[in-house]
Amino acid sequence: MRLRANQQFPSKPSLQDWSRWLFPRSGPVAGRMLAMIGGLAIAIVLLAADASRADGYTFDTGDVLRVSVIGETAYPLEVVVDDRGSISLPMLGDVQARGLSSVALSQAIQRAFQQQKLILEPYVKVEIGQYRPFFISGTVAHPGSYPFQPGITVRHALAIAGGFRATTAGNTEPALQIADLRSARAGLAIEEYRLKVRLARLQAESRQDKSFVAPPDPPVEFGVHLIDDIVASEQAQLDARLAAYRDDISYLDVSLERARKEADMVAATRKEREKTADIQLEELQSARSLREKGLVTNSNVMTAERAHTSYRAELSQTELQQEQAQQAMLTAESELRKKKQSYEMDLISQTQDTQVELGKIQSQIRYVADKLLFIFTYGEQRTFDDLQGSVKISIFRRDQKAAHDIVADENTEVRAGDVIEVSIVANKGFYAPDTSGTTAIPNAKGPALQPSLIGQ
């Protein structure tokens, strides 16, 4: 359709301008009809424009929506999408909003008005009043929730949160943390050396050695007097334990030897009495034989029988004494064996406990050394370029169907409601394999750190 030569079309046409331009010969009634048609067309254009501006954004818990219903006094109003994903509207009650776009929610509200026969031809417009926030945590200066704006990326989110910071806001400054960690490492090193000296003492004690060799190269945190005191204390304990053990063993050895001698004496006495009893039995049998021949009287035989009975009683008593002596000897042997076993088990238990404690202390020392190196490397605010290869970014995102984790980088687009987790992953070679050595430990960027610096 073309304009006439003398017809000027206004820069901002009204509904009447649209009507006169489209239908120049129409009368007043037709003009009003066309104005209504034009209004509906413009409403459709506005809805399409809203959909274009929304760019596929769907609502969820925390979004603030502005709902307008033309001709209704209760509107426009702002509502918040609750934790159920719904909004509460006058006249309608709860309307599900989660997962819907602006256009889709507008249509859902229109259908609700029509289905409930509240408004026959409603015109509803839903706009986003305030986006639900996104969240950022981890190694950033100011973790927390921040207002969402369409089009922001992870790089923007990090800038909003103050950038990288291994020591987050509110924590001790890196320099003070380094001083505290060095002090903690010094205390752990002293405990480590003390446990090593104890382990050397226990090993010497298990060999029944009177002395032990202290571990060489004590840490630099030690003074000469401290080393001497630790070694002297363990040496004194070695002397006392060996002396006590040897005294106990000596006492049990003497008791065992006494029991053996007594058993031998009783055994010898029994043999003698057995020989005497045999002689007495022969004499008794001889007397009985002579009595039968009439060579001796009954009194002689009775005297021989009494003597034999007496020797048999003494022999029985000697047998009982021998059994008691043998039992005493076995008891002394058992006590000596138990004492040695108990002492050995105690040494094994102490050695194992000391090794476990030593392992824990060494693990804590490595942790403190790694933390020191971490603060040296990442203690100040850095950029992506500084920390290239050492930054891990993951986004927890929930959609209509499920929630999932996304591996992200600085250019990943952030959505409303995202939870961004930023962490530092040390590069290969970051952790110190041996905090007591002299090998340089490379950090992620910059010069190598000497372990000696960590311990100072």
PDB file of all heavy atoms in Angstrom, residues 316-344:
ATOM      1  N   SER A 316      55.881 -91.865 101.155  1.00  0.00           N
ATOM      2  CA  SER A 316      54.696 -91.174 100.617  1.00  0.00           C
ATOM      3  C   SER A 316      54.783 -89.663 100.853  1.00  0.00           C
ATOM      4  O   SER A 316      54.437 -88.847  99.978  1.00  0.00           O
ATOM      5  CB  SER A 316      53.422 -91.737 101.258  1.00  0.00           C
ATOM      6  OG  SER A 316      53.279 -93.097 100.955  1.00  0.00           O
ATOM      7  N   GLN A 317      55.265 -89.262 102.028  1.00  0.00           N
ATOM      8  CA  GLN A 317      55.430 -87.844 102.337  1.00  0.00           C
ATOM      9  C   GLN A 317      56.462 -87.216 101.420  1.00  0.00           C
ATOM     10  O   GLN A 317      56.291 -86.084 100.933  1.00  0.00           O
ATOM     11  CB  GLN A 317      55.842 -87.689 103.807  1.00  0.00           C
ATOM     12  CG  GLN A 317      55.987 -86.242 104.265  1.00  0.00           C
ATOM     13  CD  GLN A 317      54.653 -85.501 104.266  1.00  0.00           C
ATOM     14  OE1 GLN A 317      53.595 -86.147 104.435  1.00  0.00           O
ATOM     15  NE2 GLN A 317      54.683 -84.208 104.061  1.00  0.00           N
ATOM     16  N   THR A 318      57.515 -87.955 101.145  1.00  0.00           N
ATOM     17  CA  THR A 318      58.561 -87.429 100.252  1.00  0.00           C
ATOM     18  C   THR A 318      58.028 -87.275  98.822  1.00  0.00           C
ATOM     19  O   THR A 318      58.356 -86.306  98.122  1.00  0.00           O
ATOM     20  CB  THR A 318      59.777 -88.379 100.270  1.00  0.00           C
ATOM     21  OG1 THR A 318      60.240 -88.538 101.608  1.00  0.00           O
ATOM     22  CG2 THR A 318      60.900 -87.830  99.407  1.00  0.00           C
ATOM     23  N   GLU A 319      57.203 -88.206  98.373  1.00  0.00           N
ATOM     24  CA  GLU A 319      56.603 -88.093  97.037  1.00  0.00           C
ATOM     25  C   GLU A 319      55.727 -86.842  96.932  1.00  0.00           C
ATOM     26  O   GLU A 319      55.737 -86.128  95.915  1.00  0.00           O
ATOM     27  CB  GLU A 319      55.781 -89.342  96.750  1.00  0.00           C
ATOM     28  CG  GLU A 319      56.629 -90.587  96.525  1.00  0.00           C
ATOM     29  CD  GLU A 319      55.769 -91.816  96.360  1.00  0.00           C
ATOM     30  OE1 GLU A 319      54.529 -91.713  96.586  1.00  0.00           O
ATOM     31  OE2 GLU A 319      56.308 -92.882  96.005  1.00  0.00           O
ATOM     32  N   LEU A 320      54.965 -86.543  97.970  1.00  0.00           N
ATOM     33  CA  LEU A 320      54.137 -85.333  97.983  1.00  0.00           C
ATOM     34  C   LEU A 320      54.988 -84.081  97.943  1.00  0.00           C
ATOM     35  O   LEU A 320      54.688 -83.114  97.213  1.00  0.00           O
ATOM     36  CB  LEU A 320      53.247 -85.340  99.226  1.00  0.00           C
ATOM     37  CG  LEU A 320      52.330 -84.120  99.403  1.00  0.00           C
ATOM     38  CD1 LEU A 320      51.382 -83.976  98.220  1.00  0.00           C
ATOM     39  CD2 LEU A 320      51.556 -84.216 100.713  1.00  0.00           C
ATOM     40  N   GLN A 321      56.078 -84.071  98.725  1.00  0.00           N
ATOM     41  CA  GLN A 321      56.990 -82.917  98.721  1.00  0.00           C
ATOM     42  C   GLN A 321      57.623 -82.721  97.342  1.00  0.00           C
ATOM     43  O   GLN A 321      57.809 -81.592  96.884  1.00  0.00           O
ATOM     44  CB  GLN A 321      58.064 -83.116  99.785  1.00  0.00           C
ATOM     45  CG  GLN A 321      57.565 -83.045 101.218  1.00  0.00           C
ATOM     46  CD  GLN A 321      58.640 -83.364 102.230  1.00  0.00           C
ATOM     47  OE1 GLN A 321      59.760 -83.741 101.865  1.00  0.00           O
ATOM     48  NE2 GLN A 321      58.308 -83.217 103.518  1.00  0.00           N
ATOM     49  N   GLN A 322      57.924 -83.821  96.650  1.00  0.00           N
ATOM     50  CA  GLN A 322      58.512 -83.720  95.317  1.00  0.00           C
ATOM     51  C   GLN A 322      57.526 -83.096  94.327  1.00  0.00           C
ATOM     52  O   GLN A 322      57.893 -82.245  93.514  1.00  0.00           O
ATOM     53  CB  GLN A 322      58.955 -85.093  94.840  1.00  0.00           C
ATOM     54  CG  GLN A 322      59.703 -85.038  93.510  1.00  0.00           C
ATOM     55  CD  GLN A 322      60.130 -86.405  93.052  1.00  0.00           C
ATOM     56  OE1 GLN A 322      59.631 -87.425  93.521  1.00  0.00           O
ATOM     57  NE2 GLN A 322      61.079 -86.444  92.120  1.00  0.00           N
ATOM     58  N   GLU A 323      56.279 -83.523  94.407  1.00  0.00           N
ATOM     59  CA  GLU A 323      55.251 -82.931  93.527  1.00  0.00           C
ATOM     60  C   GLU A 323      55.093 -81.433  93.792  1.00  0.00           C
ATOM     61  O   GLU A 323      54.965 -80.629  92.855  1.00  0.00           O
ATOM     62  CB  GLU A 323      53.921 -83.648  93.732  1.00  0.00           C
ATOM     63  CG  GLU A 323      53.908 -85.074  93.216  1.00  0.00           C
ATOM     64  CD  GLU A 323      52.585 -85.750  93.480  1.00  0.00           C
ATOM     65  OE1 GLU A 323      51.692 -85.075  94.077  1.00  0.00           O
ATOM     66  OE2 GLU A 323      52.418 -86.918  93.099  1.00  0.00           O
ATOM     67  N   GLN A 324      55.104 -81.050  95.064  1.00  0.00           N
ATOM     68  CA  GLN A 324      54.982 -79.621  95.398  1.00  0.00           C
ATOM     69  C   GLN A 324      56.187 -78.838  94.893  1.00  0.00           C
ATOM     70  O   GLN A 324      56.053 -77.712  94.399  1.00  0.00           O
ATOM     71  CB  GLN A 324      54.828 -79.470  96.912  1.00  0.00           C
ATOM     72  CG  GLN A 324      53.514 -80.010  97.459  1.00  0.00           C
ATOM     73  CD  GLN A 324      53.442 -79.949  98.971  1.00  0.00           C
ATOM     74  OE1 GLN A 324      54.471 -79.772  99.653  1.00  0.00           O
ATOM     75  NE2 GLN A 324      52.234 -80.116  99.528  1.00  0.00           N
ATOM     76  N   ALA A 325      57.382 -79.404  95.012  1.00  0.00           N
ATOM     77  CA  ALA A 325      58.597 -78.730  94.551  1.00  0.00           C
ATOM     78  C   ALA A 325      58.583 -78.570  93.031  1.00  0.00           C
ATOM     79  O   ALA A 325      58.968 -77.519  92.486  1.00  0.00           O
ATOM     80  CB  ALA A 325      59.828 -79.507  94.999  1.00  0.00           C
ATOM     81  N   GLN A 326      58.126 -79.594  92.324  1.00  0.00           N
ATOM     82  CA  GLN A 326      58.041 -79.503  90.865  1.00  0.00           C
ATOM     83  C   GLN A 326      57.002 -78.456  90.438  1.00  0.00           C
ATOM     84  O   GLN A 326      57.232 -77.698  89.483  1.00  0.00           O
ATOM     85  CB  GLN A 326      57.675 -80.876  90.296  1.00  0.00           C
ATOM     86  CG  GLN A 326      58.816 -81.886  90.374  1.00  0.00           C
ATOM     87  CD  GLN A 326      58.413 -83.255  89.856  1.00  0.00           C
ATOM     88  OE1 GLN A 326      57.220 -83.553  89.715  1.00  0.00           O
ATOM     89  NE2 GLN A 326      59.405 -84.102  89.596  1.00  0.00           N
ATOM     90  N   GLN A 327      55.895 -78.394  91.155  1.00  0.00           N
ATOM     91  CA  GLN A 327      54.879 -77.373  90.843  1.00  0.00           C
ATOM     92  C   GLN A 327      55.422 -75.974  91.086  1.00  0.00           C
ATOM     93  O   GLN A 327      55.175 -75.038  90.298  1.00  0.00           O
ATOM     94  CB  GLN A 327      53.633 -77.610  91.691  1.00  0.00           C
ATOM     95  CG  GLN A 327      52.477 -76.671  91.371  1.00  0.00           C
ATOM     96  CD  GLN A 327      51.994 -76.825  89.950  1.00  0.00           C
ATOM     97  OE1 GLN A 327      51.862 -77.948  89.456  1.00  0.00           O
ATOM     98  NE2 GLN A 327      51.738 -75.702  89.287  1.00  0.00           N
ATOM     99  N   ALA A 328      56.170 -75.779  92.158  1.00  0.00           N
ATOM    100  CA  ALA A 328      56.786 -74.472  92.442  1.00  0.00           C
ATOM    101  C   ALA A 328      57.767 -74.096  91.347  1.00  0.00           C
ATOM    102  O   ALA A 328      57.852 -72.923  90.933  1.00  0.00           O
ATOM    103  CB  ALA A 328      57.465 -74.506  93.799  1.00  0.00           C
ATOM    104  N   MET A 329      58.520 -75.077  90.858  1.00  0.00           N
ATOM    105  CA  MET A 329      59.477 -74.808  89.786  1.00  0.00           C
ATOM    106  C   MET A 329      58.751 -74.416  88.496  1.00  0.00           C
ATOM    107  O   MET A 329      59.130 -73.458  87.802  1.00  0.00           O
ATOM    108  CB  MET A 329      60.336 -76.046  89.548  1.00  0.00           C
ATOM    109  CG  MET A 329      61.403 -75.866  88.474  1.00  0.00           C
ATOM    110  SD  MET A 329      62.386 -77.363  88.238  1.00  0.00           S
ATOM    111  CE  MET A 329      61.125 -78.470  87.578  1.00  0.00           C
ATOM    112  N   LEU A 330      57.662 -75.104  88.159  1.00  0.00           N
ATOM    113  CA  LEU A 330      56.878 -74.762  86.966  1.00  0.00           C
ATOM    114  C   LEU A 330      56.259 -73.367  87.084  1.00  0.00           C
ATOM    115  O   LEU A 330      56.196 -72.604  86.103  1.00  0.00           O
ATOM    116  CB  LEU A 330      55.785 -75.806  86.750  1.00  0.00           C
ATOM    117  CG  LEU A 330      56.261 -77.215  86.370  1.00  0.00           C
ATOM    118  CD1 LEU A 330      55.077 -78.177  86.323  1.00  0.00           C
ATOM    119  CD2 LEU A 330      56.995 -77.195  85.035  1.00  0.00           C
ATOM    120  N   THR A 331      55.794 -73.025  88.285  1.00  0.00           N
ATOM    121  CA  THR A 331      55.221 -71.694  88.509  1.00  0.00           C
ATOM    122  C   THR A 331      56.273 -70.612  88.310  1.00  0.00           C
ATOM    123  O   THR A 331      56.003 -69.567  87.682  1.00  0.00           O
ATOM    124  CB  THR A 331      54.633 -71.599  89.925  1.00  0.00           C
ATOM    125  OG1 THR A 331      53.628 -72.601  90.086  1.00  0.00           O
ATOM    126  CG2 THR A 331      54.029 -70.221  90.163  1.00  0.00           C
ATOM    127  N   ALA A 332      57.466 -70.825  88.827  1.00  0.00           N
ATOM    128  CA  ALA A 332      58.541 -69.852  88.658  1.00  0.00           C
ATOM    129  C   ALA A 332      58.921 -69.704  87.192  1.00  0.00           C
ATOM    130  O   ALA A 332      59.152 -68.589  86.694  1.00  0.00           O
ATOM    131  CB  ALA A 332      59.761 -70.267  89.486  1.00  0.00           C
ATOM    132  N   GLU A 333      58.978 -70.807  86.450  1.00  0.00           N
ATOM    133  CA  GLU A 333      59.269 -70.734  85.015  1.00  0.00           C
ATOM    134  C   GLU A 333      58.176 -69.963  84.275  1.00  0.00           C
ATOM    135  O   GLU A 333      58.459 -69.155  83.375  1.00  0.00           O
ATOM    136  CB  GLU A 333      59.388 -72.150  84.453  1.00  0.00           C
ATOM    137  CG  GLU A 333      60.641 -72.899  84.893  1.00  0.00           C
ATOM    138  CD  GLU A 333      60.668 -74.323  84.368  1.00  0.00           C
ATOM    139  OE1 GLU A 333      59.598 -74.784  83.881  1.00  0.00           O
ATOM    140  OE2 GLU A 333      61.727 -74.959  84.437  1.00  0.00           O
ATOM    141  N   SER A 334      56.909 -70.206  84.641  1.00  0.00           N
ATOM    142  CA  SER A 334      55.795 -69.502  83.991  1.00  0.00           C
ATOM    143  C   SER A 334      55.850 -68.000  84.269  1.00  0.00           C
ATOM    144  O   SER A 334      55.639 -67.180  83.357  1.00  0.00           O
ATOM    145  CB  SER A 334      54.470 -70.077  84.490  1.00  0.00           C
ATOM    146  OG  SER A 334      53.374 -69.379  83.934  1.00  0.00           O
ATOM    147  N   GLU A 335      56.137 -67.615  85.514  1.00  0.00           N
ATOM    148  CA  GLU A 335      56.221 -66.190  85.849  1.00  0.00           C
ATOM    149  C   GLU A 335      57.351 -65.520  85.089  1.00  0.00           C
ATOM    150  O   GLU A 335      57.206 -64.382  84.609  1.00  0.00           O
ATOM    151  CB  GLU A 335      56.421 -66.033  87.362  1.00  0.00           C
ATOM    152  CG  GLU A 335      55.176 -66.392  88.177  1.00  0.00           C
ATOM    153  CD  GLU A 335      55.411 -66.222  89.669  1.00  0.00           C
ATOM    154  OE1 GLU A 335      56.562 -65.897  90.045  1.00  0.00           O
ATOM    155  OE2 GLU A 335      54.455 -66.424  90.444  1.00  0.00           O
ATOM    156  N   LEU A 336      58.471 -66.217  84.965  1.00  0.00           N
ATOM    157  CA  LEU A 336      59.592 -65.643  84.220  1.00  0.00           C
ATOM    158  C   LEU A 336      59.225 -65.475  82.747  1.00  0.00           C
ATOM    159  O   LEU A 336      59.503 -64.428  82.133  1.00  0.00           O
ATOM    160  CB  LEU A 336      60.815 -66.546  84.360  1.00  0.00           C
ATOM    161  CG  LEU A 336      62.084 -66.093  83.617  1.00  0.00           C
ATOM    162  CD1 LEU A 336      62.534 -64.730  84.126  1.00  0.00           C
ATOM    163  CD2 LEU A 336      63.195 -67.129  83.768  1.00  0.00           C
ATOM    164  N   ARG A 337      58.571 -66.483  82.188  1.00  0.00           N
ATOM    165  CA  ARG A 337      58.169 -66.407  80.778  1.00  0.00           C
ATOM    166  C   ARG A 337      57.131 -65.302  80.561  1.00  0.00           C
ATOM    167  O   ARG A 337      57.199 -64.541  79.587  1.00  0.00           O
ATOM    168  CB  ARG A 337      57.603 -67.762  80.351  1.00  0.00           C
ATOM    169  CG  ARG A 337      57.254 -67.855  78.872  1.00  0.00           C
ATOM    170  CD  ARG A 337      56.977 -69.283  78.441  1.00  0.00           C
ATOM    171  NE  ARG A 337      55.928 -69.914  79.257  1.00  0.00           N
ATOM    172  CZ  ARG A 337      56.166 -70.829  80.190  1.00  0.00           C
ATOM    173  NH1 ARG A 337      57.411 -71.215  80.460  1.00  0.00           N
ATOM    174  NH2 ARG A 337      55.161 -71.347  80.888  1.00  0.00           N
ATOM    175  N   LYS A 338      56.158 -65.188  81.473  1.00  0.00           N
ATOM    176  CA  LYS A 338      55.139 -64.136  81.351  1.00  0.00           C
ATOM    177  C   LYS A 338      55.754 -62.753  81.450  1.00  0.00           C
ATOM    178  O   LYS A 338      55.338 -61.818  80.745  1.00  0.00           O
ATOM    179  CB  LYS A 338      54.079 -64.319  82.441  1.00  0.00           C
ATOM    180  CG  LYS A 338      53.154 -65.496  82.211  1.00  0.00           C
ATOM    181  CD  LYS A 338      52.125 -65.589  83.336  1.00  0.00           C
ATOM    182  CE  LYS A 338      51.173 -66.751  83.119  1.00  0.00           C
ATOM    183  NZ  LYS A 338      50.192 -66.881  84.227  1.00  0.00           N
ATOM    184  N   LYS A 339      56.727 -62.607  82.336  1.00  0.00           N
ATOM    185  CA  LYS A 339      57.382 -61.301  82.493  1.00  0.00           C
ATOM    186  C   LYS A 339      58.078 -60.895  81.202  1.00  0.00           C
ATOM    187  O   LYS A 339      57.956 -59.743  80.755  1.00  0.00           O
ATOM    188  CB  LYS A 339      58.387 -61.362  83.654  1.00  0.00           C
ATOM    189  CG  LYS A 339      59.119 -60.050  83.890  1.00  0.00           C
ATOM    190  CD  LYS A 339      58.150 -58.946  84.263  1.00  0.00           C
ATOM    191  CE  LYS A 339      58.846 -57.627  84.478  1.00  0.00           C
ATOM    192  NZ  LYS A 339      57.902 -56.539  84.806  1.00  0.00           N
ATOM    193  N   LYS A 340      58.786 -61.814  80.590  1.00  0.00           N
ATOM    194  CA  LYS A 340      59.482 -61.498  79.337  1.00  0.00           C
ATOM    195  C   LYS A 340      58.488 -61.180  78.226  1.00  0.00           C
ATOM    196  O   LYS A 340      58.671 -60.217  77.465  1.00  0.00           O
ATOM    197  CB  LYS A 340      60.373 -62.674  78.937  1.00  0.00           C
ATOM    198  CG  LYS A 340      61.573 -62.879  79.849  1.00  0.00           C
ATOM    199  CD  LYS A 340      62.422 -64.049  79.381  1.00  0.00           C
ATOM    200  CE  LYS A 340      63.663 -64.218  80.278  1.00  0.00           C
ATOM    201  NZ  LYS A 340      64.496 -65.363  79.849  1.00  0.00           N
ATOM    202  N   GLN A 341      57.422 -61.978  78.128  1.00  0.00           N
ATOM    203  CA  GLN A 341      56.419 -61.737  77.092  1.00  0.00           C
ATOM    204  C   GLN A 341      55.715 -60.399  77.300  1.00  0.00           C
ATOM    205  O   GLN A 341      55.472 -59.651  76.344  1.00  0.00           O
ATOM    206  CB  GLN A 341      55.404 -62.880  77.072  1.00  0.00           C
ATOM    207  CG  GLN A 341      55.968 -64.202  76.572  1.00  0.00           C
ATOM    208  CD  GLN A 341      54.962 -65.330  76.692  1.00  0.00           C
ATOM    209  OE1 GLN A 341      53.918 -65.191  77.344  1.00  0.00           O
ATOM    210  NE2 GLN A 341      55.256 -66.462  76.060  1.00  0.00           N
ATOM    211  N   SER A 342      55.361 -60.114  78.554  1.00  0.00           N
ATOM    212  CA  SER A 342      54.702 -58.844  78.848  1.00  0.00           C
ATOM    213  C   SER A 342      55.593 -57.664  78.506  1.00  0.00           C
ATOM    214  O   SER A 342      55.132 -56.657  77.945  1.00  0.00           O
ATOM    215  CB  SER A 342      54.317 -58.804  80.328  1.00  0.00           C
ATOM    216  OG  SER A 342      53.761 -57.553  80.673  1.00  0.00           O
ATOM    217  N   TYR A 343      56.859 -57.790  78.810  1.00  0.00           N
ATOM    218  CA  TYR A 343      57.802 -56.705  78.511  1.00  0.00           C
ATOM    219  C   TYR A 343      57.923 -56.512  76.996  1.00  0.00           C
ATOM    220  O   TYR A 343      57.922 -55.383  76.499  1.00  0.00           O
ATOM    221  CB  TYR A 343      59.146 -57.044  79.128  1.00  0.00           C
ATOM    222  CG  TYR A 343      60.181 -55.947  78.990  1.00  0.00           C
ATOM    223  CD1 TYR A 343      60.099 -54.798  79.759  1.00  0.00           C
ATOM    224  CD2 TYR A 343      61.244 -56.078  78.100  1.00  0.00           C
ATOM    225  CE1 TYR A 343      61.044 -53.792  79.643  1.00  0.00           C
ATOM    226  CE2 TYR A 343      62.184 -55.073  77.973  1.00  0.00           C
ATOM    227  CZ  TYR A 343      62.082 -53.939  78.745  1.00  0.00           C
ATOM    228  OH  TYR A 343      63.027 -52.942  78.628  1.00  0.00           O
ATOM    229  N   GLU A 344      58.017 -57.611  76.272  1.00  0.00           N
ATOM    230  CA  GLU A 344      58.122 -57.519  74.818  1.00  0.00           C
ATOM    231  C   GLU A 344      56.854 -56.935  74.206  1.00  0.00           C
ATOM    232  O   GLU A 344      56.921 -56.093  73.294  1.00  0.00           O
ATOM    233  CB  GLU A 344      58.395 -58.907  74.235  1.00  0.00           C
ATOM    234  CG  GLU A 344      59.784 -59.453  74.566  1.00  0.00           C
ATOM    235  CD  GLU A 344      59.953 -60.901  74.125  1.00  0.00           C
ATOM    236  OE1 GLU A 344      58.958 -61.464  73.595  1.00  0.00           O
ATOM    237  OE2 GLU A 344      61.046 -61.454  74.312  1.00  0.00           O
TER     238      GLU A 344
END
